[in-house]
Every structure is written in structure tokens, then in C-alpha cells.
Amino acid sequence: MLIAQLSDPHVRPKGELYHGVVDSNAGLAAAVEHVLTLDRRPDLVLITGDLVDHGEPAEYDNVREVLLALPIPFLIIPGNHDDRENFRAAFADHDYLPHRGPLHYCVDDHPVRIIGLDSTVPGHHHGHVDQAGLDWLAATLSQDTTKPTLIMLHHPPFVSGIPYLDEYRYFEGAALAAVVERAPNVEIVVCGHVHRSMVRRWARTVLVTCPSTTTEIDLQLAASAEPSSHDGPRGYLLHLWDELEGMTSHARQIGDFAGPYPFA
């Protein structure tokens, strides 16, 4: 099974730019086009939050229009820039999304079971899953402890070392890890939020974060570093699961580069 993960498109109303400088709408459209040019078409696409920038209905109308070009099933979770109720209304045809409360769900229609975890806190930018959500996750994981499982959430539950990202991270990662580590079949945990690719051993599994289709948040590790981003490189992740080999993740950059050349 091949899974493409897109994240943090921050779609704006038509004609408006992300932070007034970046065409985030074109970035998502380019990412969709890039996925469709792969030599193997993904079986499923995951979009790990911040589908839009301000949570406005006009933005959701626009992201729906861009995603019409995607002839592949896709699953979504909200991020801190999404509005949970506007998100739910915009994707009311996605039957796996709950009709009320946090948007936690499990989709078991594929060789890899997909669990979506809503880590958003309405009105805030940090991540959190309350005790009811942790209990739901524990019960869902316990229903099948053998099928390969992927968990997706927006906020990475660890310290990245980038100071201006860690100010609004998922702060109580240990409680979430305590639930996840009891499930021996969690192949991978995938996140967005940080607009960068990161890899970490976490909760007895592997956790990866996805680049944004819009901007890359700069890697600065000094405690005094000020928030900084660049208009690219844009990218996404591909997660290749094989019954014998398990899960392997690949990073793809979006853009035009010299080549191909006849060597490897």
C-alpha cells in the first residue's frame, strides 16, 4: 500500500496570499499535480491539518475546489489554523468524521488501519488530546493488536529544538505515548504542524513530520532565534507499506530540477 501525506496547505480565499506573500493555493494545487505524476499512484492520501489558514468558510470552499483534482481517496484531520465546526461542515460528505465533538476516527478499509486523532484546542495553537480522547484511542487500538496501524495527528508530541515551534507544541506527549506504546502494531505516527520533515523514535514506534505544501519553517536551534520561514522548498511524504518489509517513508520535494540523468 502506498500512502501520500500532504500537510499544512494553509489555503486562502481566491486571490489572497498566505501572510500576504506566498500563493498557498497554488502550492496545494502543485502538490496534488505532483502526486498524480508519480510512477506509482498512491492508494490513499492523508492531509494532516491546517487545510486552511483562518478557518473561514470561503477558504474551505476553495480547498474543496483544489482537491477536486485528486481522484484518490483522502482522509483529513484539522490543525490549529482550522475551525473545527467549519471544517466539519465543509467535509460533511466524509462519513468517517464524527458529527460532534473532537474529530477522532478510525478507517479500517485498507491494508493499513488509519487512526485520525484531533489534537486541536479551539481558540489556541498548541496541541492536546483530553482524557476522553486518550481513552477512545486506547479502546480503538485494543480492538485489533495485529493489523498494521498508522496514527495521524497535527501536532508532533515532542520537543523539536526549534524554540518558536516548541512554544505551541503538543505539551503532554507522555500521556499520549503511554497509550500508543501499548499497541505493538503501530507502524508509524505521522504529523504536520512544523512545516519540516523530522524523524523521531517515540512510544516504541517511529514518528515523522511532514513538510508543508506552502512554506518551510526555518531550522534554527538557538534559544534566541526569532520566527522565520522561506517560500519553499515545498514537499510531502510517501509511506510505503509492504506485508513482508513493513513501513518505509520517503520525502519528496515539489519543483523542477535538472535531470533525469542515466545513473543512480
Side-chain angles (χ1 to χ4, degrees):
M1 181 179 184
L2 183 62
I3 302 168
Q5 180 190 356
L6 309 180
S7 200
D8 297 84
H10 289 271
V11 164
R12 299 288 289 126
K14 289 183 179 180
E16 297 187 22
L17 300 177
Y18 175 60
H19 284 274
V21 294
V22 179
D23 191 345
S24 55
N25 302 347
L28 177 59
V32 169
E33 181 180 359
H34 197 278
V35 166
L36 297 180
T37 64
L38 294 171
D39 63 348
R40 175 177 168 183
R41 178 164 289 190
D43 302 291
L44 182 67
V45 173
L46 308 178
I47 308 177
T48 46
D50 283 356
L51 275 69
V52 304
D53 195 36
H54 291 160
E56 299 170 354
E59 294 176 321
Y60 288 112
D61 290 343
N62 204 20
V63 78
R64 287 292 305 241
E65 183 174 328
V66 175
L67 292 174
L68 283 176
L70 190 61
I72 302 170
F74 65 92
L75 304 176
I76 52 176
I77 53 172
N80 53 292
H81 283 262
D82 289 299
D83 179 278
R84 183 182 287 163
E85 298 312 317
N86 288 342
F87 183 102
R88 195 193 320 265
F91 293 96
D93 57 328
H94 284 235
D95 295 338
Y96 57 88
L97 292 175
H99 296 300
R100 61 181 65 86
L103 296 170
H104 309 316
Y105 61 83
C106 178
V107 173
D108 205 0
D109 302 333
H110 306 281
V112 175
R113 177 175 60 167
I114 309 295
I115 293 177
L117 200 59
D118 182 354
S119 60
T120 64
V121 181
H124 299 274
H125 285 293
H126 69 281
H128 177 70
V129 176
D130 63 15
Q131 189 59 50
L134 295 177
D135 292 344
W136 174 89
L137 177 62
T140 301
L141 288 170
S142 69
Q143 290 171 6
D144 189 333
T145 58
T146 60
K147 184 173 182 177
T149 297
L150 179 154
I151 298 174
M152 57 189 274
L153 69 158
H154 182 65
H155 299 81
F158 64 83
V159 175
S160 72
I162 302 175
Y164 42 82
L165 286 178
D166 290 334
E167 288 178 1
Y168 52 97
R169 68 181 188 270
Y170 190 117
F171 287 103
E172 298 172 342
L176 178 59
V179 175
V180 174
E181 68 186 8
R182 295 199 297 268
N185 53 325
V186 175
E187 290 276 339
I188 193 169
V189 178
V190 303
C191 303
H193 189 53
V194 293
H195 292 219
R196 300 191 59 85
S197 180
M198 303 180 191
V199 182
R200 180 183 171 115
R201 181 182 175 90
W202 181 82
R204 299 183 181 176
T205 186
V206 176
L207 188 151
V208 299
T209 69
C210 189
S212 168
T213 63
T214 299
T215 56
E216 181 172 87
I217 292 177
D218 291 338
L219 175 59
Q220 300 186 101
L221 302 177
S224 59
E226 296 293 331
S228 178
S229 294
H230 275 77
D231 185 1
R234 299 170 180 84
Y236 61 96
L237 298 181
L238 290 169
H239 307 290
L240 178 62
W241 180 80
D242 180 85
E243 187 175 0
L244 296 178
E245 301 296 334
M247 188 76 78
T248 301
S249 298
H250 300 267
R252 290 297 307 261
Q253 289 190 334
I254 302 165
D256 296 321
F257 309 97
Y261 302 116
F263 54 80

